[in-house]
Amino acid sequence: MQISWLFASLLVPLFWGLTNVFDQILQRNYAKDELNLTLASALSRLPEALLLFLMFGFFLPSVPVLLLSFLHCMILTISIFFYCRALQHEEATRVIIFFQTIPVFVFVLSSLFLGEVLTLVQFLAFFTLLFAGFLSLYRGDISVGKFSPALRAVLIFSLLSAVNDVLLKYVLQFFPSGELMLPWSVLGGFLALIPLSFFSFVRKRFTAQNFSWFRSGWHVFLLSLVFGVGGFYFFFDAAHKGSISLTSVFIGIQPLFTSFFLFFAGRFFSDVPKENFRGRVLLFKVLAFVLSLIGLWLINR
């Protein structure tokens, strides 16, 4: 499937925005512990990888490239662990604001290690989309507060995510397409269970009781996986075709997609978290949407 870099980049926050909706339903009604949900996702990576090999074909890179491909999703899974740790100590509205530091870290690291250079117009587009992402996070009650252990954990998550994106861009040059690397990376997510198993509080969660939520919530979990892998597919495709800095900054407007999905889904499903679209929150959402359009226009010039 040949699609443009811009379209692929836009589909990433759209797919992952839907994933966020299903994840919130899972955490609210089924899997109360975020770490259990992370472990379940890691366990699912093995059958996902096998299915992706069947769909896209088998491409065997050199051993160093293969190990780096594994490392990509291993780092991703471990970084999500730090995000879950942050949520155990702090409200999500205070944690998620630090997600907007990821594109900044990617911009700096890709400049230093990959030699990526943005034109003036691309630079303006980058910061326009970044600011749109900040505005889209406004809920009326977001405050950074003191530099708590939760915020330190989410900063570690942000830095690891940025390193992961730069690593992805580097490794993709050794693959004919992003979809051929995707199964190897997904398999690395399963292998991430090995280092995580060294933590005793992680091992304690591998009991049938901790995964009993799957019997009633498997359909929501499956939808989350489908849209999550779909987002990875388009992210790999966009990263293979274009700048990783610009590809990464599109993820910053993901909360805007999530908000709209929650708003409309809340009208039909009672178990969906309600989204506020009144007063200043609505104003900030509209401004974020307008800035996103301006950013897209600048990129497409």
Side-chain angles (χ1 to χ4, degrees), residues 78-300:
I78 294 171
S79 67
I80 293 174
F81 161 75
F82 281 101
Y83 167 64
C84 293
R85 292 288 288 176
L87 288 179
Q88 291 177 4
H89 300 285
E90 194 61 80
E91 294 180 4
T93 52
R94 295 179 66 186
V95 169
I96 198 171
I97 194 170
F98 281 84
F99 280 35
Q100 301 305 315
T101 61
I102 297 175
V104 178
F105 286 141
V106 172
F107 174 75
V108 173
L109 293 174
S110 63
S111 299
L112 291 174
F113 296 103
L114 299 179
E116 280 197 357
V117 178
L118 301 182
T119 66
L120 178 59
V121 174
Q122 290 175 330
F123 189 76
L124 290 174
F126 177 88
F127 279 98
T128 300
L129 290 170
L130 189 65
F131 190 52
F134 272 112
L135 292 180
S136 70
L137 289 171
Y138 183 76
R139 299 291 187 275
D141 58 352
I142 291 180
S143 61
V144 175
K146 63 181 181 179
F147 198 65
S148 66
L151 297 184
R152 287 196 291 271
V154 81
L155 278 176
I156 293 173
F157 162 78
S158 299
L159 183 57
L160 286 176
S161 298
V163 170
N164 211 30
D165 287 351
V166 175
L167 174 64
L168 170 65
K169 179 63 178 179
Y170 173 76
V171 178
L172 278 172
Q173 67 181 310
F174 302 103
F175 286 84
S177 65
E179 65 186 26
L180 292 176
M181 177 187 168
L182 182 58
W184 293 114
S185 178
V186 170
L187 186 57
F190 175 76
L191 297 177
L193 291 170
I194 298 174
L196 286 176
S197 65
F198 286 99
F199 296 93
S200 60
F201 61 90
V202 174
R203 291 197 303 272
K204 291 177 182 177
R205 283 173 163 80
F206 282 100
T207 64
Q209 182 179 359
N210 285 331
F211 292 95
S212 60
W213 58 267
F214 188 79
R215 288 195 294 269
S216 57
W218 66 268
H219 57 296
V220 183
F221 181 73
L222 181 61
L223 286 171
S224 174
L225 288 182
V226 168
F227 286 107
V229 174
F232 276 115
Y233 172 85
F234 291 114
F235 186 65
F236 276 51
D237 184 58
H240 189 267
K241 293 175 177 176
S243 162
I244 189 61
S245 297
L246 291 176
T247 302
S248 177
V249 79
F250 273 93
I251 302 175
I253 61 174
Q254 180 179 323
L256 189 62
F257 286 92
T258 303
S259 296
F260 285 123
F261 290 145
L262 288 173
F263 177 75
F264 289 110
R267 295 174 174 267
F268 302 99
F269 302 98
S270 59
D271 58 350
V272 173
K274 299 299 182 291
E275 189 75 7
N276 176 21
F277 267 83
R278 293 188 294 270
R280 285 189 296 176
V281 175
L282 177 60
L283 176 62
F284 276 66
K285 289 287 192 296
V286 172
L287 287 174
F289 180 72
V290 172
L291 284 175
S292 298
L293 293 178
I294 294 173
L296 290 174
W297 176 76
L298 288 170
I299 288 177
N300 206 34

Side-chain angles (χ1 to χ4, degrees), residues 53-68:
F53 278 125
L54 290 174
M55 291 174 59
F56 303 132
F58 185 86
F59 176 84
L60 183 62
S62 64
V63 173
V65 173
L66 182 61
L67 293 177
L68 288 175

Side-chain angles (χ1 to χ4, degrees), residues 24-73:
Q24 290 191 49
I25 295 174
L26 276 170
Q27 294 181 29
R28 186 171 181 173
N29 300 288
Y30 303 102
K32 305 296 184 180
D33 189 326
E34 295 90 352
L35 186 54
N36 284 338
L37 183 57
T38 303
L39 295 176
S41 298
L43 287 169
S44 71
R45 300 305 184 199
L46 180 59
E48 285 176 44
L50 296 176
L51 180 60
L52 290 171
F53 278 125
L54 290 174
M55 291 174 59
F56 303 132
F58 185 86
F59 176 84
L60 183 62
S62 64
V63 173
V65 173
L66 182 61
L67 293 177
L68 288 175
S69 301
F70 288 155
L71 183 62
H72 170 261
C73 210

